[in-house]
Amino acid sequence: MLSLFDMSDVNSQISNPPLAPFAKEELWPHRLAVVLGCATFPLLFIGGLVTSKGAGLAVPDWPTTFGYNMFLYPWSEMVGNILYEHSHRLVASCVGLLTIALAVALWFGERRTWLRWLGVTALLVVIAQGILGGLRVVLRQDTFAILHACLAQAFFALTVGLALFTSREWAGELPQAPITDSGRLWRLGAITTALIYLQVIFGAVLRHTGERLDAHLFVAGLVALHVSLLIWRVTKYHVARLNLVRLAGSLGILLLVQLLLGVGSYFAKFTTLCGCPWI
Amino acid sequence: MIVFLTTTHLIVGALMLVTSLALTLHSYRLSERTKTALRPNPLKEEFST
């Protein structure tokens, strides 16, 4: 007969099953996917800075930089808004190279066909993203800037997905442990993710055109509601699943920070109520 | 200050998107486990009959 201690040990094994070791050739796609995700994050940040600073057209040509090969442009001339725009291009090139490396590593080192094609999809997305960024500069149209902003977030999400799919936990065996409510949870999660992405789209429209603040605020309410539901469902039905609890907790904290930042941005950008000199 | 607020707003939005995606993917994985666990084992049934 199992003692209480033994039973809790069994329960923890079901909740967090032991992971199978990775084969050496399977390690590289995962490492590359993690590095790619980590490199895409600062790229997003610099891209955001480019828009916030109004530096998108500081370098008027593309793919060259003031007639120079992008990689040979003198560092000494990277000043002011040129610094933001040109750094964005250089970091984007690194992300492009990493995506090529990941696609190749997945194609030759991954057994799952769908994941190999997902690597190819990431490569196509990063190429499209580069072309959109270039077209925004050359044709000077806000539509391309909005598409570029939306695709950037989709690409970041794709890199995080790739890092998860190539992880040891995802590639491992499925333990035979029935879990109640998991179907509802993932459907709610999918709706929440879709709403957050819709919010990203309205956010990009608002940032680049100053329009559709109403839609951005409305979807913000929907996102807040769905994130709250998601946290409630995880804490009620999946409290033993540490990774779900951590993710739901992080999402809750991010939502609070995001709402505060949203209110701050609104007052700073769209109203004259806040006549603060520091703004 | 506007630059800080709007850029951080964008970045936190991106973090929310990927956190929600990761949660969705993890819960999808769990639902797949549940389906596999609840599926009747044909070999067992063959032996029992």
Side-chain angles (χ1 to χ4, degrees):
Chain A
M1 193 177 159
L2 286 168
S3 69
L4 198 63
F5 175 78
D6 291 333
M7 278 307 291
S8 66
D9 196 40
V10 168
N11 281 336
S12 77
Q13 288 244 339
I14 288 170
S15 300
N16 306 299
L19 301 171
F22 251 156
K24 207 174 180 182
E25 65 273 13
E26 286 172 330
L27 265 174
W28 277 105
H30 180 60
R31 283 175 181 163
L32 278 169
V34 171
V35 172
L36 177 61
C38 291
T40 307
F41 186 66
L43 178 61
L44 263 182
F45 179 75
I46 300 171
L49 268 182
V50 166
T51 306
S52 300
K53 290 269 184 187
L57 299 173
V59 180
D61 51 343
W62 179 84
T64 49
T65 301
F66 293 106
Y68 283 92
N69 177 315
M70 190 199 297
F71 303 104
L72 301 178
Y73 185 70
W75 287 75
S76 56
E77 290 182 29
M78 278 173 63
V79 287
N81 281 347
I82 298 169
L83 172 71
Y84 297 112
E85 171 60 14
H86 192 63
S87 329
H88 183 55
R89 292 183 186 192
L90 291 177
V91 177
S93 305
C94 292
V95 167
L97 287 173
L98 279 169
T99 314
I100 293 171
L102 176 63
V104 171
L106 281 173
W107 193 260
F108 292 106
E110 177 57 51
R111 284 167 297 174
R112 291 164 288 178
T113 313
W114 64 271
L115 194 46
R116 281 156 59 176
W117 282 107
L118 199 62
V120 175
T121 307
L123 182 57
L124 293 176
V125 171
V126 88
I127 291 168
Q129 180 67 346
I131 292 171
L132 274 175
L135 287 178
R136 192 268 179 275
V137 170
V138 175
L139 301 177
R140 296 169 187 231
Q141 283 185 14
D142 280 337
T143 313
F144 289 114
I146 294 167
L147 289 173
H148 188 61
C150 296
L151 198 60
Q153 301 257 3
F155 180 73
F156 182 46
L158 183 57
T159 61
V160 170
L162 281 165
L164 264 178
F165 297 142
T166 52
S167 69
R168 210 157 46 137
E169 190 197 355
W170 199 275
E173 288 285 309
L174 293 171
Q176 306 286 302
I179 299 129
T180 54
D181 195 59
S182 56
R184 279 183 188 175
L185 182 67
W186 91 257
R187 280 192 291 273
L188 180 62
I191 292 169
T192 309
T193 309
L195 280 171
I196 295 173
Y197 192 68
L198 185 65
Q199 181 69 336
V200 162
I201 294 171
F202 282 126
V205 172
L206 182 62
R207 223 160 125 72
H208 289 280
T209 66
E211 291 169 7
R212 300 319 310 257
L213 175 64
D214 52 346
H216 192 60
L217 291 176
F218 177 69
V219 182
L222 287 180
V223 169
L225 177 71
H226 281 76
V227 168
S228 307
L229 281 173
L230 205 54
I231 293 168
W232 171 77
R233 198 163 275 282
V234 168
T235 47
K236 184 165 186 189
Y237 297 104
H238 304 278
V239 78
R241 306 262 158 195
L242 269 183
N243 52 358
L244 290 184
V245 173
R246 280 183 194 140
L247 286 169
S250 308
L251 196 56
I253 293 166
L254 286 170
L255 175 69
L256 288 176
V257 174
Q258 185 68 335
L259 288 174
L260 287 174
L261 286 168
V263 171
S265 302
Y266 173 78
F267 279 112
K269 205 171 177 179
F270 293 104
T271 72
T272 48
L273 283 177
C274 196
C276 320
W278 44 273
I279 288 178
Chain B
M1 192 64 182
I2 293 179
V3 170
F4 168 77
L5 284 171
T6 50
T7 309
T8 318
H9 190 52
L10 181 147
I11 288 301
V12 175
L15 288 176
M16 278 186 74
L17 179 69
V18 295
T19 309
S20 177
L21 177 72
L23 203 152
T24 307
L25 291 174
H26 273 296
S27 50
Y28 176 74
R29 185 77 168 148
L30 287 177
S31 82
E32 288 297 298
R33 284 176 187 176
T34 309
K35 274 186 202 165
T36 316
L38 296 178
R39 202 173 291 149
N41 188 341
L43 263 180
K44 236 181 194 175
E45 281 173 9
E46 264 178 42
F47 280 116
S48 65
T49 49

